[in-house]
């Protein structure tokens, strides 16, 4: 079973004409509420693709019996949840402008309890956004781990980041996060990449870069009419991890990730357009039709 550790959150998604910048204001043209949280997005994506998934997370007193709770149960996700009764479930406020630029403000709520939670020992785990100390302990106790710092990277100290990277098998990040990690660690990108068995760096419309066994591969993005970029990276990780768990080669896993991500951006919300394996596969075959493909 694939385990995912990190936030379960409620997403408030706002559209604005232009992100206003410091000391300025703007007006909101749309406001929708969706299920979210990086870990929960990834777990939902894995479950939709047909794999069993365990979600290790914290929720508030508002969560049990909610629509979100029922949705996760419908996906048959194993909810390894700690309920913090006197707190709200974590909430993300995401502002996206007409150019596709985005800013996120995250209220941790119940997730603040990660820092004092017992870290599980897991066989195959993806560490999404969560408390740095908690992720350090998960990384140290798990057999196989992947890591995605996401927007929580700013909360990590250099020591915490070094410990996690020394204990992971796969590092996921976007270009900005990779640059930030290099700055924090005082390393060139090539040195950081060389220190980890496998890295996957997403670059939006420019696709992604896979580095494994000293080789670098470029994987193009799947061209679709994008409506909302929120959750694209989580969809990518869900696709990659599902394919990896099923034994596919890393390059094929990246391609599956790119396809799943393409579905996510076609609709607002991070879990509203997740494909099952057959739906993913149909698009995969249209985009990646090279001889010798092994995805079935």
């Amino acid at each position: 079973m694939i385990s995912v550790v990190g936030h379960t959150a409620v997403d408030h998604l706002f559209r604005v004409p232009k992100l206003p910048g410091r000391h300025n204001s703007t007006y909101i043209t749309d406001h929708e509420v969706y299920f979210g949280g990086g870990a929960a997005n990834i777990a939902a994506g894995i479950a939709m693709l047909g794999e069993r998934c365990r979600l290790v997370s914290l929720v508030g007193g508002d969560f049990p019996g909610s629509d979100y709770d029922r949705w996760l149960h419908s996906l048959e996700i194993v909810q390894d949840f700690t309920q913090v009764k006197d707190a709200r479930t974590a909430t993300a406020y995401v502002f996206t402008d007409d150019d596709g630029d985005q800013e996120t403000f995250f209220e941790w709520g119940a997730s603040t309890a990660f820092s004092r939670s017992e870290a599980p020992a897991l066989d195959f785990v993806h560490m999404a956004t969560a408390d740095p100390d908690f992720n350090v302990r998960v990384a140290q106790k798990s057999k196989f781990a992947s890591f995605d710092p996401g927007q929580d990277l700013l909360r990590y100290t250099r020591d915490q980041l070094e410990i996690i990277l020394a204990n992971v098998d796969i590092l996921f990040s976007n270009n900005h996060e990779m640059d930030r990690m290099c700055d924090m660690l005082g390393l060139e990108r090539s040195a950081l990449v060389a220190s980890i068995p496998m890295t996957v760096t997403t670059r939006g419309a420019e696709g992604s870069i896979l580095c494994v066994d000293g080789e670098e591969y470029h994987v193009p993005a799947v061209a679709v009419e994008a409506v909302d970029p929120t959750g694209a990276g989580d969809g990518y990780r869900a696709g990659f991890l599902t394919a990896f768990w099923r034994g596919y080669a890393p390059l094929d896993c990246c391609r599956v990730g790119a396809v799943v991500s393409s579905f996510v951006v076609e609709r607002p919300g991070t879990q509203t357009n997740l494909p099952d394996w057959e739906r993913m596969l149909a698009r995969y075959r249209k985009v990646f039709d090279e001889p010798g493909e092994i995805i079935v």
Side-chain angles (χ1 to χ4, degrees):
M1 181 185 296
I2 303 172
S3 297
V4 185
V5 170
H7 297 302
T8 297
V10 178
D11 285 349
H12 289 255
L13 304 187
F14 302 90
R15 296 291 304 196
V16 296
K18 185 72 175 176
L19 294 175
R22 190 177 181 185
H23 301 313
N24 288 296
S25 64
T26 188
Y27 56 91
I28 293 167
T29 58
D30 190 48
H31 176 198
E32 301 288 346
V33 182
Y34 297 99
F35 306 147
N41 292 339
I42 295 168
I46 292 168
M48 280 294 297
L49 289 167
E51 282 301 329
R52 291 280 287 163
C53 187
R54 175 187 185 190
L55 176 57
V56 181
S57 193
L58 289 101
V59 296
D62 56 346
F63 190 83
S66 66
D67 290 344
Y68 201 172
D69 186 17
R70 289 190 289 271
W71 163 244
L72 295 180
H73 273 110
S74 74
L75 293 176
E76 299 183 348
I77 291 171
V78 177
Q79 295 184 24
D80 189 349
F81 286 175
T82 299
Q83 183 188 156
V84 185
K85 293 183 179 180
D86 59 350
R88 282 195 298 268
T89 300
T91 306
Y93 303 91
V94 183
F95 295 83
T96 306
D97 70 13
D98 293 341
D99 294 327
D101 293 326
Q102 193 175 85
E103 288 186 354
T104 300
F105 300 84
F106 194 76
E107 177 188 5
W108 275 59
S111 289
T112 58
F114 267 124
S115 62
R116 54 185 183 273
S117 298
E118 177 68 22
L122 301 166
D123 290 336
F124 186 104
V125 61
H126 177 71
M127 295 174 291
T129 48
D131 178 78
D133 279 334
F134 186 78
N135 273 349
V136 165
R137 287 180 272 125
V138 171
Q140 291 173 321
K141 295 172 69 173
S142 298
K143 291 182 180 179
F144 186 99
S146 60
F147 174 56
D148 164 25
Q151 72 267 17
D152 286 342
L153 181 57
L154 60 85
R155 299 174 67 96
Y156 284 81
T157 66
R158 175 173 177 165
D159 287 346
Q160 289 168 332
L161 191 56
E162 286 178 339
I163 292 170
I164 287 180
L165 295 183
N167 285 277
V168 299
D169 302 276
I170 308 174
L171 171 65
F172 293 96
S173 68
N174 62 31
N175 250 343
H176 303 295
E177 293 156 358
M178 177 62 79
D179 288 341
R180 175 62 178 152
M181 284 187 285
C182 289
D183 290 341
M184 292 172 66
L185 299 170
L187 294 174
E188 296 293 329
R189 182 178 290 212
S190 58
L192 175 55
V193 168
S195 70
I196 300 169
M198 189 184 310
T199 64
V200 179
T201 308
T202 55
R203 307 190 303 167
E206 295 180 9
S208 56
I209 298 292
L210 166 70
C211 294
V212 59
D213 296 330
E215 298 292 331
E216 181 175 296
Y217 305 89
H218 175 257
V219 180
V222 177
V224 295
E225 185 175 345
V227 173
D228 186 346
T230 312
D234 296 332
Y236 188 108
R237 287 144 181 72
F240 182 102
L241 292 167
T242 301
F244 192 84
W245 177 255
R246 293 183 177 184
Y248 292 108
L251 184 56
D252 291 319
C253 296
C254 289
R255 290 167 172 164
V256 172
V259 172
V260 174
S261 179
S262 75
F263 281 97
V264 173
V265 302
E266 288 180 316
R267 292 186 189 172
T270 56
Q271 298 178 31
T272 53
N273 197 38
L274 294 168
D276 61 20
W277 187 263
E278 290 304 315
R279 190 170 169 225
M280 179 283 299
L281 186 58
R283 182 171 293 183
Y284 182 104
R285 287 172 171 160
K286 290 179 180 178
V287 177
F288 301 109
D289 57 353
E290 301 171 15
E293 290 300 338
I294 60 169
I295 296 292
V296 296

